[in-house]
């Protein structure tokens, strides 16, 4: 009748929580929206102009994407990531999410290794396609990162070594905001080469590395890495739906044909006006550099502040390195939380929402055990356009003064204080 695998796919918990918090807000309660991970910033101004200018473009583009855009994406990533990539290796689609799905769909059967915590959609996508999703657990002490040894062990334990292995890596990470060091990436690349693991490296937050030091895995594992990215995060344009995949040059022609076949039979192509707008975003010029530098400065400053406040309230959390998420671990407060009937991350998030108006997403949505008291915090509840404009006015050489900080991020700081006060009263 219907696809059995669909039954295990729940309605995305992220969207559900967003809906619940909207209901609370409609009822007049102040809600601190740290649940939904959407960029607070406006899209790049020149890209908005280009979108407007090309709204009349109505023809389908080639399935792989507009040749001009693919050339620009290749040049852009070559320049910012420092590895060789040409236009024929670029695949453009309506969002990177569908690209992840397309790559996974290209396999008849695969063992898909997914670190935990990880973004909510990887495991459902793998299961939907009938693949085996294999969890690679991590811990706070390991900065929620997997290492080459853990990967090697997992690959050696495979039930059927003839089934292809795919690893999904994501850094700077959703839900943790953390990255890998160059040495860690080299070790992972070596393990992947040795054990013939294809990596989907989800680098959608790469350009939002707070100090601009993102290193793509493709530099160390060029023949076995498919990098995915797009306009959703660094260009503040999630709803435009534009994603890109950078395919390895050595990828067998038949694999690329399969990807294009799936694309052609499903989404056809990304929207033409959006591809034209992307042509203007994927250029390394002053406007783009400044736009990124200000976002990084704002996100880095706020993320570090939130992490410091949470640490002072006995919550374990690593200061973020990129993107706009933190993954606080409330385990040190487990005894106190137990006393008020909080035993799971779901309990924790629903109590927090009801008693403080703070929305966090429970750790179990990210593949953690339900009893592990962790949650994702997206520090994006502030006026992005205003913060970006003020940051530009101040210039990059001038630090954000405390009063400035409070003015720009007042809602976030208020929400974090509500949260820490709630914890202090336990
Ligand atoms: N990967 C991660 C880690 C994400 O957080 C998201 C969006 O939230 C995506 C992929 C999907 O992005 P897109 O909008 O390009 O489909």
């Amino acid at each position: 009748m219907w696809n059995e695998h669909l039954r295990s796919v729940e309605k995305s918990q992220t969207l559900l929580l967003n809906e619940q918090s909207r209901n609370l807000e409609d009822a007049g309660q102040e809600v601190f929206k740290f649940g939904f991970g959407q960029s607070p910033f406006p899209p790049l101004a020149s890209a908005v102009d280009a979108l407007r200018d090309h709204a009349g473009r109505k023809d389908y583009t080639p399935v792989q994407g507009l040749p001009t855009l693919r050339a620009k994406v290749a040049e852009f990533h070559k320049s910012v990531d420092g590895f060789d990539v040409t236009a024929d290796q670029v695949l453009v689609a309506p969002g990177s999410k569908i690209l992840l799905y397309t790559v996974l769909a290209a396999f008849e059967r695969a063992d898909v290794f997914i670190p935990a915590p990880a973004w909510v959609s990887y495991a459902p996508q793998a299961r939907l396609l009938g693949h085996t999703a294999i969890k690679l657990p991590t811990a706070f002490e390991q900065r929620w990162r997997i290492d080459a040894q853990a990967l090697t062990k997992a690959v050696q334990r495979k039930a059927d070594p003839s089934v292809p292995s795919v690893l999904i890596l994501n850094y700077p990470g959703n839900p943790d905001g953390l990255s890998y060091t160059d040495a860690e990436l080299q070790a992972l690349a070596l393990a992947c080469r040795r054990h013939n693991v294809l990596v989907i490296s989800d680098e959608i937050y790469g350009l939002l590395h707070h100090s601009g030091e993102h290193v793509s895995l493709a530099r160390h594992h060029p023949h076995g890495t498919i990098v995915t990215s797009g306009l959703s995060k660094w260009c503040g344009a999630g709803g435009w739906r534009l994603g890109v995949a950078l395919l390895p040059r050595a990828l067998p022609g038949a694999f690329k044909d399969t990807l294009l076949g799936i694309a052609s039979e499903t989404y056809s192509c990304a929207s033409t006006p959006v591809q034209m707008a992307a042509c203007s975003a994927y250029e390394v010029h002053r406007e783009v550099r400044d736009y990124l530098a200000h976002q990084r400065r704002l996100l880095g400053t706020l993320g570090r502040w939130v992490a410091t406040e949470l640490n002072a309230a006995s919550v374990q959390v690593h200061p973020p390195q990129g993107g706009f998420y933190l993954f606080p671990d409330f385990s040190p407060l487990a005894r106190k939380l137990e006393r008020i009937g909080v035993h799971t991350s779901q309990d924790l998030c629903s109590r927090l929402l009801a008693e403080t108006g703070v929305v966090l997403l429970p750790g179990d949505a990210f593949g953690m055990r339900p009893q592990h008291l962790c949650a994702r915090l997206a520090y994006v509840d502030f006026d992005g356009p205003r913060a970006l404009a003020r940051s530009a006015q101040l210039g990059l050489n001038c630090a954000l003064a405390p009063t400035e900080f409070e003015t720009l991020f007042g809602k976030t700081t208020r929400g974090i204080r509500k949260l820490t006060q709630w914890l202090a009263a336990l």
Side-chain angles (χ1 to χ4, degrees):
M1 215 169 29
W2 46 75
N3 184 342
E4 275 296 299
H5 299 290
L6 274 171
R7 289 202 308 181
S8 62
V9 180
E10 293 155 26
K11 180 173 178 185
S12 170
Q13 295 204 40
T14 19
L15 297 176
L16 204 68
L17 236 110
N18 198 39
E19 208 172 285
Q20 283 172 352
S21 59
R22 232 189 345 252
N23 291 345
L24 271 179
E25 228 181 8
D26 287 348
Q29 189 174 330
E30 183 171 34
V31 171
F32 304 95
K33 290 180 215 148
F34 304 150
F36 197 53
Q38 179 162 275
S39 164
F41 299 111
L44 186 76
S46 60
V48 175
D49 292 342
L51 182 60
R52 194 179 299 114
D53 292 346
H54 293 98
R57 291 278 300 256
K58 52 131 192 123
D59 293 340
Y60 288 96
T61 73
V63 173
Q64 197 175 342
L66 277 172
T68 1
L69 173 58
R70 289 192 284 108
K72 286 193 176 218
V73 170
E75 265 313 301
F76 184 89
H77 279 284
K78 199 166 145 183
S79 159
V80 299
D81 289 321
F83 65 89
D84 250 3
V85 53
T86 52
D88 57 318
Q89 291 168 258
V90 177
L91 180 53
V92 176
S96 67
K97 196 180 210 170
I98 196 66
L99 279 169
L100 295 164
Y101 190 76
T102 303
V103 172
L104 290 175
F107 290 90
E108 260 175 25
R109 223 180 120 200
D111 287 332
V112 184
F113 295 94
I114 304 170
W119 182 48
V120 290
S121 292
Y122 301 136
Q125 283 199 355
R127 284 198 295 268
L128 201 54
L129 289 160
H131 300 323
T132 309
I134 302 169
K135 198 184 283 191
L136 300 176
T138 67
F140 170 81
E141 293 72 20
Q142 296 167 266
R143 302 176 60 256
W144 311 115
R145 304 290 86 190
I146 55 151
D147 59 29
Q149 255 182 338
L151 176 66
T152 302
K153 269 195 200 145
V155 175
Q156 285 168 341
R157 276 200 300 265
K158 272 164 67 100
D160 179 353
S162 71
V163 173
S165 300
V166 178
L167 166 68
I168 306 185
L169 211 60
N170 165 229
Y171 66 98
N174 175 2
D176 47 69
L178 299 172
S179 240
Y180 284 91
T181 65
D182 199 47
E184 287 167 342
L185 290 175
Q186 285 187 39
L188 280 170
L190 187 65
C192 290
R193 266 198 301 278
R194 267 197 194 134
H195 300 285
N196 203 15
V197 177
L198 177 82
V199 187
I200 302 177
S201 191
D202 180 347
E203 302 181 19
I204 192 124
Y205 297 97
L207 286 156
L208 291 183
H209 189 291
H210 297 165
S211 46
E213 289 166 353
H214 177 73
V215 177
S216 176
L217 183 74
R219 268 167 78 160
H220 298 304
H221 189 39
H223 302 309
T225 304
I226 295 177
V227 177
T228 56
S229 184
L231 291 185
S232 296
K233 310 298 171 180
W234 74 265
C235 200
W240 285 11
R241 308 310 299 131
L242 190 120
V244 299
L246 312 176
L247 309 174
R249 185 162 304 152
L251 200 69
F255 189 85
K256 185 174 162 188
D257 288 346
T258 303
L259 295 178
L260 292 176
I262 297 166
S264 155
E265 301 304 343
T266 52
Y267 58 79
S268 298
C269 65
S271 139
T272 309
V274 170
Q275 290 195 56
M276 293 306 296
C279 282
S280 132
Y282 278 107
E283 289 217 21
V284 190
H285 50 60
R286 178 88 191 269
E287 185 201 358
V288 174
R289 268 198 296 265
D290 286 354
Y291 174 69
L292 285 173
H294 288 289
Q295 290 187 71
R296 288 168 179 161
R297 181 255 284 269
L298 291 162
L299 292 172
T301 310
L302 181 58
R304 285 189 298 275
W305 179 87
V306 177
T308 307
E309 291 294 303
L310 293 177
N311 278 326
S314 304
V315 177
Q316 299 190 129
V317 67
H318 295 284
Q321 292 173 293
F324 33 73
Y325 305 108
L326 288 169
F327 197 60
D329 185 340
F330 297 79
S331 301
L333 298 163
R335 281 250 189 87
K336 289 181 176 176
L337 287 165
E338 240 168 55
R339 281 207 295 268
I340 60 157
V342 168
H343 305 289
T344 63
S345 58
Q346 296 254 9
D347 293 344
L348 175 65
C349 293
S350 58
R351 282 293 279 272
L352 261 177
L353 180 55
E355 293 175 25
T356 65
V358 169
V359 188
L360 300 185
L361 268 191
D364 66 351
F366 302 92
M368 303 299 287
R369 276 185 309 110
Q371 293 75 20
H372 196 139
L373 298 173
C374 47
R376 188 190 76 179
L377 189 159
Y379 47 95
V380 291
D381 196 359
F382 61 91
D383 184 340
R386 187 166 80 120
L388 204 57
R390 184 66 187 137
S391 182
Q393 209 174 34
L394 289 169
L396 289 165
N397 294 329
C398 165
L400 289 179
T403 47
E404 198 82 58
F405 183 86
E406 284 292 337
T407 317
L408 294 181
F409 303 127
K411 175 109 188 271
T412 307
T413 57
R414 212 163 50 248
I416 296 300
R417 289 192 181 111
K418 276 221 162 190
L419 166 57
T420 55
Q421 279 156 14
W422 185 80
L423 293 171
L426 286 174

